[in-house]
Amino acid sequence: MQRRFIGLTAAVVALGMAAGLSGCGSDGGSGSVTLKLVAADYDIAGGSSTKAYWHDVVGDFEKKNPGIKVEVTVLSWDVVDAKVAEMVKAGKAPDIAQIGAYSDYAADGKLYSVDQLLSIPVQANFLAPLADAGEMKRVQYGIPFVASTRLLFYNQTLFDKAHIKPPQTWAQLAADAKALKAKGVKTPFALPLGSEEAQAETMMWMLSGGGGYVNQISGYDIDSPENVKTFNWLKKNLVEEGLTGPVAPAKLNRQTAFDAFAKGEVGMLNGHPSLMEQARKKGVKYGMVPLPGAEGKAKSSMGVADWIMGFKQNGHREQIGKFLDFAFNDENVLAFADKYDLLPATRTASQTMQNDGKHPELKEFLAALPTSELPPVGKTSWPKVSETVKKRIGAAVGVDGDPRSVLEGIAKVATEAENAE
């Protein structure tokens, strides 16, 4: 699975939080039950804000549900997925995990389905693209915790100097990039196809060209005519024209591109909400628009979600469901989204955020999310495909690269991985 949409690599040690000290009880209505929750740390400053968030949620929940205690352990994104995998392998699965991927656990029969956990109103409240992405073989196991989508960021100061407007089409994007280059901009358009998050950049461009990783019947379609056309255009109109900067796209990582944008060295790039804060801190004046498409606005933006799930091992289905129903009330969902400039995964919280006037810069992201498309995270083959994209896609736009042959090679790996499921 790709690194999370906020790209967190917070260098923090595991933070343990005991919200209750009762021992584990048996499933059912009598006695006391202690749920164990492992959650990811979203605090990029290495502080304790994520721990504090869960402390508040758990405290309020326990007051209303005196027979259920919740112990939370918050771990950095660097280790949380691996730690949960170790726990499951050792036969010590947590009751609830808030991590980056669910498909392997669902495929192994270790998770409760969403309809076994959540009440119907809560289950129906998730945004459709996110709920759909949580499905495996038409059964939902992954519950979207928070979400993000992507917009085109541009440096307003550089655009003003070049007397250009933000693009709506690929042709306008290339023309803007040429105008920025003529004004001495170091990287007119940053195209990070390096190993960090190339699979995300790739998907954004596939979608803007009318393609994607999968087709309408959910099969991989990586070497489709639309995708081949997209990467031919990138190679010819951006890379070969010298508009993607001094670092070859195959060697440019997402965070490096973000850092360069925050230094005022990049004219345009595809970005997510966390880039806003990074740019603001550096005093960069920026704007954001929907991703341009071949002939106009892209058919959809790429969405990304982090997941929360309930494990069967300890048999606490009823208690897990009660806690998750509570965790996804609007107050809790909005508190977390507010704290980290993220997007709510639920319809009601998303609508509240759009209407409350507190988040003007998130409005474009919020507008893009309901029609966004997520990577095929419900496929257990996706991690293999994602890693292959990271390693190979940069070559498609390289000096001697052939987009068609590179995409065909990735498609072959995808087919083999899919058949092995």
Side-chain angles (χ1 to χ4, degrees):
M1 175 85 179
Q2 73 264 27
R3 189 181 300 278
R4 303 292 74 74
F5 51 83
I6 7 185
L8 292 184
T9 54
V12 294
V13 297
L15 295 169
M17 181 184 73
L21 299 177
S22 302
C24 290
S26 61
D27 194 13
S30 61
S32 178
V33 168
T34 298
L35 300 177
K36 296 186 181 298
L37 164 62
V38 176
D41 188 3
Y42 287 74
D43 193 327
I44 59 176
S48 59
S49 62
T50 303
K51 179 181 177 181
Y53 168 80
W54 284 114
H55 180 273
D56 291 343
V57 172
V58 167
D60 290 344
F61 173 78
E62 290 181 349
K63 289 177 183 177
K64 297 178 181 179
N65 297 272
I68 307 173
K69 300 296 182 182
V70 185
E71 292 180 355
V72 182
T73 301
V74 178
L75 302 172
S76 83
W77 271 117
D78 285 348
V79 302
V80 67
D81 288 285
K83 181 63 177 177
V84 170
E86 290 173 6
M87 295 170 70
V88 173
K89 186 176 180 180
K92 299 179 180 179
D95 295 286
I96 304 169
Q98 188 275 297
I99 50 178
Y102 67 86
S103 60
D104 284 346
Y105 303 123
D108 290 342
K110 297 184 182 298
L111 301 180
Y112 290 114
S113 62
V114 173
D115 62 359
Q116 291 177 307
L117 296 174
L118 301 181
S119 64
I120 291 175
V122 174
Q123 188 178 346
N125 196 28
F126 291 100
L127 291 164
L130 307 181
D132 291 346
E135 293 183 358
M136 172 176 284
K137 298 180 179 178
R138 302 187 182 279
V139 178
Q140 187 181 353
Y141 297 95
I143 304 171
F145 182 64
V146 283
S148 178
T149 188
R150 302 294 192 264
L151 296 174
L152 178 76
F153 281 70
Y154 61 95
N155 184 309
Q156 185 68 65
T157 301
L158 298 179
F159 265 57
D160 289 344
K161 290 180 179 179
H163 304 291
I164 54 177
K165 296 180 180 180
Q168 296 180 345
T169 67
W170 286 358
Q172 292 170 358
L173 186 150
D176 284 351
K178 288 180 180 178
L180 291 165
K181 183 180 180 181
K183 290 293 185 179
V185 175
K186 188 175 181 180
T187 303
F189 187 92
L191 183 64
L193 295 177
S195 60
E196 181 189 349
E197 207 183 26
Q199 83 291 347
E201 186 75 17
T202 295
M203 184 172 178
M204 285 182 261
W205 280 100
M206 286 178 169
L207 291 173
S208 67
Y213 279 120
V214 296
N215 55 34
Q216 291 183 346
I217 58 173
S218 299
Y220 284 111
D221 201 18
I222 292 169
D223 57 347
S224 69
E226 293 84 359
N227 292 340
V228 171
K229 183 178 179 181
T230 292
F231 277 86
N232 276 322
W233 186 90
L234 282 172
K235 177 178 169 62
K236 178 180 178 181
N237 294 277
L238 293 186
V239 181
E240 292 181 353
E241 292 291 329
L243 302 177
T244 53
V247 180
K251 296 182 178 180
L252 181 63
N253 282 328
R254 191 276 311 274
Q255 191 57 55
T256 302
F258 278 20
D259 292 344
F261 184 83
K263 293 177 183 176
E265 299 173 351
V266 172
M268 296 175 280
L269 81 171
N270 297 329
H272 55 59
S274 71
L275 183 56
M276 297 189 301
E277 181 179 2
Q278 188 176 355
R280 283 196 299 263
K281 286 183 176 179
K282 296 292 185 178
V284 171
K285 186 179 179 182
Y286 62 88
M288 302 174 295
V289 292
L291 302 183
E295 304 296 335
K297 180 182 176 182
K299 68 170 187 176
S300 62
S301 176
M302 186 190 76
V304 186
D306 289 336
W307 305 96
I308 194 164
M309 61 212 72
F311 283 86
K312 292 180 178 179
Q313 181 179 311
N314 301 317
H316 295 153
R317 181 185 65 81
E318 181 182 351
Q319 293 84 358
I320 293 170
K322 284 184 178 180
F323 179 74
L324 291 176
D325 267 2
F326 181 81
F328 279 101
N329 68 39
D330 282 359
E331 181 181 356
N332 292 330
V333 171
L334 287 168
F336 197 88
D338 280 346
K339 192 179 294 289
Y340 300 110
D341 274 341
L342 297 175
L343 307 183
T346 62
R347 300 173 191 272
T348 52
S350 182
Q351 191 63 49
T352 298
M353 183 175 276
Q354 284 181 312
N355 296 335
D356 64 11
K358 299 177 183 177
H359 312 85
E361 290 189 305
L362 287 176
K363 283 188 178 294
E364 288 283 0
F365 290 102
L366 289 164
L369 188 58
T371 58
S372 65
E373 185 172 326
L374 278 73
V377 293
K379 292 178 175 289
T380 56
S381 58
W382 172 242
K384 174 68 173 178
V385 175
S386 176
E387 286 303 312
T388 303
V389 173
K390 290 180 183 181
K391 293 175 182 176
R392 300 189 186 183
I393 196 63
V397 298
V399 176
D400 299 318
D402 175 31
R404 181 182 298 277
S405 64
V406 171
L407 289 170
E408 286 176 347
I410 297 171
K412 182 180 179 181
V413 172
T415 299
E416 292 172 349
E418 182 83 343
N419 291 338
E421 286 191 1

